[in-house]
Amino acid sequence: MNIAIIGGGVFSWSFLWKFSQLLSLQSSRNFHVKITFFITHNARPSCSLNSTALVARRNYSFGISPLGDLIQQSWFWWTHVVETYQLNEKQGVMLAPLFYDPKAHERRLHFLNVLPKSESVLHRHSQHSIEPSFLIDPKIWLDFLHDDIQKNCHIGNVTLEIQNREVQKIDMLKMEVFLKNNTLQFDRLIVQPGAYLIEGMDIVDKEETVYGSFLDFSNVQNFSDKSFSFSGDYHLYYRKPMQSLQLGIYSSKTSCEETEWMNLTRIYQQALTEGWLLPPLNTAQKKTGGRHKLKHRLPIIGNKGHCYYHLGGYKIAYRDWE
């Protein structure tokens, strides 16, 4: 069987990881599987590496909204994966408390069940609500997925070919992939393109790309004695093992360097005013990612014939990419 996976972001890597695990358990099958993985690129910046990559429940119950239910399911998936594979910072996964400023999240915190309070948390705010979360280091996590996929494919006798090529168009019924100089045909297509535009993917009526920017500080050694994240009028993420600090987020429907810096500078000044001891602004790198947003921020999973697609991972790629 000849399969093409089109994407290259965390969605498609995660799918291929689980798929390769399944294939590794069926190495005795009497048919051969070849997977061609197209890592696509275009003008829209990927959010897979340019993300704060926070995994949290955000509320403690099902039944509030369809998106909320997906977020709950994703949290339980992550806790299962972390426990099953004993994931830690070596794979880019850190268990960290998420502190909420109740003034900024009054509506959301209504759904949190009697959470403990933390006094004088790291700065002058006196009280917070708190819940567990996972902070993911995108590069380390994606590198882990890549290596584990290679091992699974070797065990399962699967031929895996990774191609950094732009897919210009697909024919979902004929199972054809159109590249710059040739056209390839497959038995199955799996399309998880994120914000990448591909001609022939006419699935939804309402869609848009949303850009998110944040400040990334490296080599921040003594900011805190542990990893944590903070959510108020702005968001702050600290990964102790990586000595990485992120501050944001500014979101918009267009990507503009000047506007992004202006708004991130405003957020930086607000965080300073509220007591955070931040590194100098001129040591920060601005990161921007484009995300695929559908109606009500809900993803769409479906198929046309043997072409399967997963679109609109606006909030559930790592779970909650701010």
Side-chain angles (χ1 to χ4, degrees):
M1 181 176 291
N2 197 6
I3 302 172
I5 300 176
I6 301 170
V10 63
F11 263 13
S12 48
W13 279 107
S14 298
F15 168 79
L16 182 53
W17 183 47
K18 300 304 293 182
F19 189 40
S20 68
Q21 290 174 354
L22 177 64
L23 293 175
S24 71
L25 299 175
Q26 301 178 3
S27 57
S28 61
R29 63 188 179 279
N30 57 6
F31 65 93
H32 179 69
V33 175
K34 178 182 178 181
I35 299 174
T36 304
F37 187 18
F38 293 100
I39 298 179
T40 52
H41 304 277
N42 65 9
R44 297 182 177 183
S46 169
C47 67
S48 291
L49 289 175
N50 298 316
S51 174
T52 54
L54 171 69
V55 180
R57 290 186 67 178
R58 294 295 197 186
N59 56 61
Y60 265 30
S61 61
F62 287 87
I64 296 170
S65 70
L67 178 61
D69 288 351
L70 284 176
I71 289 172
Q72 305 310 300
Q73 293 167 13
S74 183
W75 166 258
F76 287 115
W77 181 87
W78 266 99
T79 56
H80 168 74
V81 168
V82 168
E83 292 172 1
T84 301
Y85 298 96
Q86 295 296 295
L87 301 177
N88 53 43
E89 60 265 21
K90 292 181 180 179
Q91 294 83 32
V93 181
M94 288 141 282
L95 182 64
L98 166 59
F99 298 100
Y100 290 100
D101 182 350
K103 295 179 182 178
H105 291 284
E106 189 172 348
R107 289 180 59 193
R108 173 174 284 166
L109 295 180
H110 171 73
F111 300 110
L112 292 171
N113 293 337
V114 192
L115 296 178
K117 299 293 183 181
S118 180
E119 299 293 334
S120 301
V121 183
L122 304 175
H123 62 100
R124 71 169 71 174
H125 286 297
S126 61
Q127 269 193 341
H128 296 82
S129 294
I130 182 174
E131 69 172 332
S133 70
F134 292 114
L135 281 173
I136 315 300
D137 184 289
K139 185 178 186 309
I140 297 175
W141 173 245
L142 289 172
D143 285 346
F144 163 73
L145 292 183
H146 175 273
D147 293 343
D148 213 52
I149 288 167
Q150 296 282 1
K151 293 176 185 177
N152 292 335
C153 288
H154 177 73
I155 294 172
N157 193 28
V158 175
T159 300
L160 174 63
E161 183 178 352
I162 300 176
Q163 296 191 20
N164 287 277
R165 301 178 67 182
E166 180 178 350
V167 174
Q168 298 181 333
K169 178 182 176 181
I170 63 170
D171 188 316
M172 302 176 72
L173 297 179
K174 294 182 179 180
M175 313 297 293
E176 292 179 336
V177 175
F178 296 81
L179 306 173
K180 184 176 181 180
N181 296 316
N182 62 329
T183 301
L184 302 175
Q185 191 169 39
F186 296 88
D187 300 313
R188 300 287 188 277
L189 293 183
I190 299 166
V191 188
Q192 299 164 319
Y196 183 83
L197 291 176
I198 302 177
E199 186 180 347
M201 285 295 297
D202 302 322
I203 304 297
V204 294
D205 296 326
K206 183 180 179 180
E207 59 181 327
E208 59 186 359
T209 297
V210 176
Y211 297 90
S213 300
F214 59 92
L215 298 174
D216 187 79
F217 301 88
S218 58
N219 299 317
V220 183
Q221 299 182 16
N222 300 313
F223 192 74
S224 171
D225 60 355
K226 61 182 179 181
S227 300
F228 75 94
S229 56
F230 168 78
S231 182
D233 293 330
Y234 49 85
H235 305 278
L236 196 67
Y237 311 86
Y238 182 59
R239 294 167 174 81
K240 179 68 173 180
M242 292 77 189
Q243 299 179 0
S244 168
L245 177 67
Q246 297 168 334
L247 173 67
I249 305 295
Y250 171 69
S251 297
S252 67
K253 295 181 180 180
T254 58
S255 181
C256 174
E257 188 80 8
E258 182 179 355
T259 302
E260 289 165 358
W261 269 113
M262 180 180 67
N263 282 278
L264 289 173
T265 300
R266 174 183 53 79
I267 292 172
Y268 177 87
Q269 294 299 330
Q270 180 181 352
L272 284 179
T273 301
E274 295 184 356
W276 296 102
L277 301 177
L278 302 174
L281 180 60
N282 61 7
T283 64
Q285 177 186 2
K286 181 181 71 67
K287 292 190 175 181
T288 301
R291 303 159 296 172
H292 190 208
K293 180 180 177 182
L294 302 181
K295 187 176 181 180
H296 303 309
R297 299 185 293 182
L298 290 170
I300 292 177
I301 301 173
N303 69 288
K304 283 190 175 181
H306 293 307
C307 177
Y308 302 87
Y309 51 84
H310 189 177
L311 309 174
Y314 178 75
K315 281 284 185 180
I316 57 166
Y318 282 104
R319 201 298 306 167
D320 188 272
W321 289 49
E322 297 289 355

